[in-house]
Amino acid sequence: MMQSLKYWLAEHPSIVNFRWSHTQSFGSTWSFLFAAIAVYIVAVITLHSFLSLILSKSRRIPLGPIPAIHSLCVSLISAVIFVGILYSAAAEIRDTRWFWRRTKTISTPFQWFLCFPLGTRPSGRVFFWSYVFYLSRFLHLFRTFFTILRHRKLTFFHLFNQSILLWMSFLWLEFSQSFQVLAILLATLLYSVVYGYRFWTAIGLPSACFPFVVNCQVVLLACNLISHFGVIFLHFLKGGCNGMGAWGFNSVLNGVILILFLNFYVKMHLRKKNVEDIDGNSNSSSSSSSSSSSAHGCSRSDIKFE
């Protein structure tokens, strides 16, 4: 069973012989990337503006099981990518150790996760799964439309975050950027858990008694921030890492995302504190409010991060 799984996820000829090519790989050109992001932004803004004109803000459009199915699909696909790139990374480390001694840039598998040797080409197992991850980012874009249809809500952070993550996953492949294997492992692990949780709550099962999705996002951002310091250390002290120009550009974008997220996180906690203060100051219905809060505390504190 395990050998069969390793073959289909890491040793299949289509995976081993993969090569990122502008002529052979779907969605691999700059024109496609710019057009896709432009169409996404225009479609989202148009839909939000149109619904704001014809419907009241409180009215929601029922979507049935579609969001739940979408969450389940993203969770399963992310889990497959996580296992696939984990097996593929182990195989690549096994097959390329001899090359490490020649480059003198890296000497351990952990360093390879952070820093590709100079001259690395976007081909082989890990870049196949990086390509699958890039394509899966398009599936994530549908959640924006679900949010608009159900909640009539569109934030600059959500629009910027989705567009930039699509852009960054393209740059990983285009420039064979260092750190992408570890970044994909962290992201797909998070997505499999978060979207599994969203599927869990979408089918009516109880939610967590804390902002689960937001806390997972905090963990991911913290891990990425720590890893970036490791990349800088290896680049300057070990002779250079591949794709550092793209890494620097992505680091700036990640910094913007971090600032926007921290702004959201602070506002979320201030809003939660204001709600608690209002509940604490209510006198006439203190007993009923207390019982209601204890009965519905999980749903109240689980502020959604779209």
Side-chain angles (χ1 to χ4, degrees), residues 110-121:
F110 181 71
Q111 291 179 1
W112 178 83
F113 276 106
L114 292 174
C115 177
F116 284 155
L118 294 174
T120 300
R121 302 293 183 184

Side-chain angles (χ1 to χ4, degrees), residues 127-193:
F127 287 99
F128 170 84
W129 289 109
S130 181
Y131 177 58
V132 176
F133 179 81
Y134 163 63
L135 295 179
S136 73
R137 288 302 319 173
F138 290 94
L139 187 60
H140 286 251
L141 302 183
F142 286 100
R143 184 164 179 82
T144 309
F145 297 95
F146 299 156
T147 303
I148 294 173
L149 291 171
R150 291 193 301 177
H151 306 292
R152 206 82 72 254
K153 183 172 65 174
L154 177 63
T155 62
F156 171 77
F157 171 75
H158 183 83
L159 200 61
F160 179 82
N161 185 57
Q162 293 285 12
S163 302
I164 292 306
L165 290 176
L166 182 61
W167 185 297
M168 287 193 296
S169 59
F170 177 89
L171 293 181
W172 289 348
L173 288 158
E174 184 69 15
F175 296 100
S176 304
Q177 183 191 311
S178 296
F179 175 62
Q180 65 177 281
V181 175
L182 186 58
I184 293 173
L185 283 170
L186 293 172
T188 50
L189 179 61
L190 173 85
Y191 293 151
S192 61
V193 172

Side-chain angles (χ1 to χ4, degrees), residues 6-21 24-25 84 88 92 122-132 173:
K6 287 183 179 179
Y7 172 78
W8 288 106
L9 294 180
E11 301 296 344
H12 192 276
S14 299
I15 298 176
V16 176
N17 299 321
F18 171 79
R19 184 171 68 91
W20 171 257
S21 170
Q24 298 178 3
S25 305
S88 296
E92 288 292 332
S123 61
R125 300 177 182 90
V126 295
F127 287 99
F128 170 84
W129 289 109
S130 181
Y131 177 58
V132 176
L173 288 158

